[in-house]
Amino acid sequence: MTANHKRMVVWSTVAVAILLAIIVLLWPRAAAVDLIDVTGGAFEVTIDNEGETRIHDVFVLSAPVAGRLQRIEAEVGDTVVAGDTVLALIEPGDPVLLDPRSEAQARAAVQAAESARQLAQAEVDKASAELEFEEQELKRAAELVVDGTISQRSLDDARRGARTARAALDTARAALQVRLFELEQAEAALLSPIATQAAAEVCECLPITAPISGRVLTIPNRSERVVTPGEALLEIGDPAGLEIVADYQSADAVQIEAGQRVRIERWGGDQPLEGRVRLVEPFGFTKVSALGIEEQRVNVVIDLLSDAAAWQGLGHGYQVETHVVVYESSDAVVVPQTALFRSGDGWALFAVLNGRAQLQPVTVGKRNGRDAEILDGVAAGATIVANPDDRIADGSAVTARL
């Protein structure tokens, strides 16, 4: 073999090797994708939002009268019994401080009342002296009428004078009593707050008792102070009447109805709690979201159905997460929403058969935030591409991603 022949054989071999390498590199490979099996079973659509627990009936105890409230000794969480547990005591309030002019007027009134008392006492003394004289006259007349010195008429006049003097003495004593009361009234106007506080130890206070059995929820201010009628003192309620209120967007609230099942999660326990929608309030309100957007919200009230022993750690004003079930099916074909894509006017997915992707149109029913219900087009147990991308086409070879 000549040198030219040898060179031709070598270069031919190299060319064939390069061609084979190019063919191998350009030969279509199976795309590595995430494969899942279509499942069948329970499927539900929920509307989710955070809620807050609250006691259904919260009673605000307020001051029925004005006065000085003694320090509240009750503690938040204390158990109370209706009509028996005394939660607060109100004693009479202190008089106001007198300005110089009012004090001078009050002292003058005391002096005037004292003078009137002295005058009344003088009237009593005068009436007493008159009575003593008339009684002596009656005694002498009774002795003289026996001897015939005076007539029976004179004796009757003496008796009348004694009775008149006695009535005048009673009148003077009553007038004196009135003047004494007036003096006490004038002296009371001069009482200072210090004097009334010293006397308060023996006064009868007004007790404020619990209207229901339950527990103390809040005490805004436990300090001793002066209160006015209607001022809130504390709040009590029965934790057994716990409910949940969650404000939903009005567009979501129209899908919620009384009686729908609610799943309550992230409340602090290991297992979700069961609840039921009791009321969708018929009016909405404006609320600013965390992004600064004004939204129309509607309160939805939820009753707890789980046994009270399961959620006894919950209290008034605790945060929970509510999931209102607006649709549920016990035997549905379910696929992830990531497996679906638009195909013409409908939806489709890639089913996998014999290692190749097949375009499969499907009819989609209800959807939640993660899965979708398939009404027609694929059955439970079929293998599909979970997250199709632009590498996958009808008939493409696929393999499971490792």
Side-chain angles (χ1 to χ4, degrees), residues 107-129:
R107 293 191 183 279
V110 170
Q111 294 174 356
E114 176 63 26
S115 299
R117 184 199 65 79
Q118 293 174 0
L119 179 60
Q121 183 64 53
E123 292 292 336
V124 170
D125 295 341
K126 177 182 177 181
S128 179

Side-chain angles (χ1 to χ4, degrees), residues 78-346:
D78 284 355
T79 301
V80 298
V81 179
D84 184 47
T85 305
V86 177
L87 297 172
L89 294 171
I90 298 178
E91 61 188 39
D94 299 327
V96 297
L97 291 172
L98 298 177
D99 58 83
R101 182 175 65 180
S102 299
E103 182 178 1
Q105 291 174 344
R107 293 191 183 279
V110 170
Q111 294 174 356
E114 176 63 26
S115 299
R117 184 199 65 79
Q118 293 174 0
L119 179 60
Q121 183 64 53
E123 292 292 336
V124 170
D125 295 341
K126 177 182 177 181
S128 179
E130 290 289 339
L131 176 60
E132 183 179 356
F133 174 77
E134 293 296 336
E135 287 178 345
Q136 291 296 330
E137 285 294 314
L138 176 61
K139 183 178 180 182
R140 283 193 293 270
E143 292 175 352
L144 291 175
V145 77
V146 175
D147 298 338
T149 306
I150 62 173
S151 64
Q152 184 64 35
R153 180 180 177 83
S154 298
L155 178 60
D156 292 340
D157 289 341
R159 287 174 178 171
R160 184 184 61 185
R163 287 197 299 269
T164 302
R166 187 173 293 109
L169 178 59
D170 291 340
T171 301
R173 286 174 176 172
L176 175 61
Q177 195 66 31
V178 171
R179 300 309 178 190
L180 289 174
F181 289 146
E182 290 177 348
L183 178 59
E184 291 181 3
Q185 183 178 11
E187 290 176 341
L190 283 173
L191 285 176
S192 66
I194 297 177
T196 56
Q197 289 179 15
E201 297 179 358
V202 296
C203 76
E204 294 186 358
C205 297
L206 175 65
I208 309 298
T209 57
I212 65 163
S213 297
R215 301 177 69 182
V216 178
L217 301 180
T218 60
I219 304 177
N221 187 353
R222 64 173 64 251
S223 300
E224 178 179 346
R225 66 189 188 278
V226 175
V227 295
T228 57
E231 182 175 345
L233 305 180
L234 44 78
E235 294 182 356
I236 62 175
D238 186 3
L242 202 66
E243 64 184 13
I244 298 173
V245 59
D247 57 329
Y248 285 83
Q249 289 190 11
S250 58
D252 294 331
V254 297
Q255 305 177 54
I256 301 175
E257 299 177 355
Q260 288 177 333
R261 186 169 63 89
V262 183
R263 189 173 64 256
I264 301 150
E265 299 178 345
R266 299 184 65 181
W267 60 275
D270 297 331
Q271 299 296 326
L273 300 177
E274 290 295 322
R276 181 179 57 233
V277 175
R278 175 163 56 85
L279 172 68
V280 179
E281 293 185 350
F283 61 91
F285 57 92
T286 303
K287 182 178 180 180
V288 179
S289 69
L291 299 177
I293 301 173
E294 288 189 353
E295 300 174 339
Q296 289 302 116
R297 315 289 292 193
V298 177
N299 282 334
V300 176
V301 182
I302 301 167
D303 290 329
L304 286 166
L305 300 183
S306 298
D307 185 37
W311 49 266
Q312 60 181 350
L314 282 176
H316 183 78
Y318 285 36
Q319 180 176 306
V320 297
E321 188 174 280
T322 62
H323 305 272
V324 180
V325 180
V326 295
Y327 173 82
E328 58 184 330
S329 174
S330 59
D331 187 18
V333 177
V334 181
V335 300
Q337 289 197 51
T338 56
L340 299 171
F341 56 88
R342 299 295 294 184
S343 177
D345 295 333

